[in-house]
Structure formats: C-alpha cells, structure tokens
Amino acid sequence: MTTDKSVLIAPSILSANFACLGAEVDAVLEAGADLIHFDVMDNHYVPNLTMGPMVCEALRKHGVTAPIDVHLMVKPVDRLIVDFARAGASWISFHPEASEHVDRSIHLIREQGCRAGLVLNPASPLDWLDYTLDSLDFVLLMSVNPGFGGQSFLPQVLPKIQAVRERINASGRAVRLEVDGGIKAANIAQVVAAGADTIVAGSAIFGSEDYAATLRELRAAIETV
Ligand code: DX5
Ligand code: ZN
C-alpha cells in the first residue's frame, strides 16, 4: 500500500553519541534518513535537559542540509521558536500544555518560515486539534511520555493515531502525522497501518551497529503494510 518514501523516517539524535554529533548526523543521513529529529528538553516541562539552538546552528554550520525537525519539550515556548528558526530549524513542534497562547505559537512558527506542529502526549485529548488543525503542517503524537529515549511504545496510542488520521483526511489538508517514542522494526508496521506517515526512531537506530541496515529493516517492515 505505502511506498517507502511516502513514509518519512526521522532518527532522534537524543540517542546519538553527543561526543561526535556532526559525524553521527552525517552517518544517519548517509544511511538514508529523511529528516533529523531534534529533542529539546528543559528540565522544567520535562524532567531532562538536552540541547539548545546553538547545537542546531552548529549542525547547519557543519554542513547538514536535511530538514531538522525540532521537538520542543520546553515551557514557555515562544522565545525558543524564534531562536530555533534562526538556528536553522525546518519543522518546529511544541506541546499545547506548555504555551499560554497556542494559536499565537503556531503562527509564530509559520511566520518564521518553518513548518508548524502540535505535539500531543499519550493522555492529551484530541480536542487540542479542534481549533488548530487548519493551521498545522503536522501533528506529532507521542507514543511514550516525553522526556527520555529508549522507553516502550504505549499501544493505547494506536487507536489515537487512527483517530487523528481520520481528522486529517476529513480536513482535506496535507497535514503530516508523526509518531514518536518506542518505535522499532517490530512495531513500525502497526504504527504506519494506523495512519502515521512520519516515524521518529531514536534508540532503534542509534543503538544499532549499522544505521543503513536498520533503516532498511524499518522500511522493509513498512512495506508489509
Ligand atoms: C522522547 C523523545 C523521543 C525519543 C525517541 O521524549 O521525544 O524523540 O528520543 O526515542 P526512542 O525511539 O528511543 O523511544
Ligand atoms: Zn521527540
């Protein structure tokens, strides 16, 4: 049903070796990744601390031209939207619970020339899409609670993926549906079958010995859908 490139794979560099991040990003792109998922955690909205805009800018200066998909797990969000856009982000998403003015944050992302996404945690209701879907370029559904790589996929998210897919199809707009957390070769087909078209995978890829072989394995599993 799906062809391999209709589903984008976004390795999360949260599980990369930070001591040689530029080389890690080069390697995963060389291995066939479509975009780079960049997890920003602030030890406030989530209980972990990762990278800021300087790291995104450094990857651009290093020569990375692939889209960088910045997943903001920070509160507040607006200032970092602007900082990441200036640092070379391509896609920017945020959690609605972390913004006082969700519509303003979405439009701020678009004004900066980036694709705007809203991220829904496993327990966040789809009501957040009622008045936002028409302004979004993508929806990011969390299939783990945000904050850490290497967690197990929460299967109760599968019907939620289907529900968002139905809403997107009903909207008639080209909104991508990204899913993030615990995705591996063993479950990626279920996630795509439920309606996802953009897959984040951190530990599955960066925890493997051969990134190209792992990406081939993920795409082969998608082909079974
Ligand atoms: C979790 C992050 C994810 C994480 C995914 O808060 O948003 O992007 O890195 O890692 P895995 O694929 O290992 O669950
Ligand atoms: Zn993420």
Side-chain angles (χ1 to χ4, degrees):
M1 185 184 98
T2 20
T3 62
D4 59 348
K5 279 292 178 174
S6 71
V7 176
L8 302 177
I9 299 185
S12 164
I13 55 174
L14 186 61
S15 293
N17 180 352
F18 282 97
C20 49
L21 189 58
E24 285 276 72
V25 170
D26 291 344
V28 84
L29 288 169
E30 176 73 17
D34 298 301
L35 59 164
I36 296 299
H37 187 78
F38 191 111
D39 287 307
V40 183
M41 305 184 185
D42 67 349
N43 186 38
H44 173 66
Y45 178 66
V46 291
N48 199 354
L49 185 63
T50 61
M51 328 167 250
M54 288 171 64
V55 179
C56 184
E57 189 177 6
L59 289 176
R60 288 298 188 213
K61 286 185 175 158
H62 176 72
V64 174
T65 56
I68 297 180
D69 167 29
V70 172
H71 173 191
L72 293 177
M73 287 162 276
V74 303
K75 183 177 182 176
V77 300
D78 288 1
R79 174 170 166 192
L80 284 174
I81 285 171
V82 176
D83 289 352
F84 269 101
R86 288 184 183 146
S90 315
W91 300 20
I92 300 179
S93 58
F94 66 97
H95 292 249
E97 298 89 346
S99 172
E100 297 291 344
H101 302 282
V102 172
D103 184 69
R104 176 179 291 154
S105 299
I106 292 169
H107 285 91
L108 186 56
I109 295 171
R110 297 178 67 116
E111 282 161 19
Q112 301 293 313
C114 299
R115 296 197 195 185
L118 200 63
V119 194
L120 300 180
N121 287 328
S124 298
L126 297 189
D127 297 2
W128 282 113
L129 299 177
D130 286 354
Y131 302 102
T132 58
L133 192 58
D134 285 347
S135 314
L136 293 173
D137 297 296
F138 65 108
V139 176
L140 174 46
L141 283 185
M142 294 306 299
S143 41
V144 297
N145 286 294
F148 302 96
Q151 302 182 78
S152 296
F153 182 85
L154 297 170
Q156 66 265 34
V157 175
L158 286 169
K160 198 172 177 185
I161 298 170
Q162 291 176 328
V164 175
R165 169 51 59 198
E166 283 168 17
R167 283 196 183 211
I168 289 172
N169 290 350
S171 79
R173 295 185 63 245
V175 179
R176 294 203 77 95
L177 175 46
E178 184 171 27
V179 181
D180 182 6
I183 301 177
K184 316 194 170 307
N187 60 13
I188 193 170
Q190 281 180 291
V191 176
V192 171
D197 59 25
T198 307
I199 301 292
V200 178
S203 51
I205 294 172
F206 285 106
S208 71
E209 289 294 320
D210 182 339
Y211 302 163
T214 305
L215 280 159
R216 278 197 299 275
E217 196 185 354
L218 291 169
R219 293 200 202 276
I222 291 169
E223 282 301 305
T224 67
V225 174

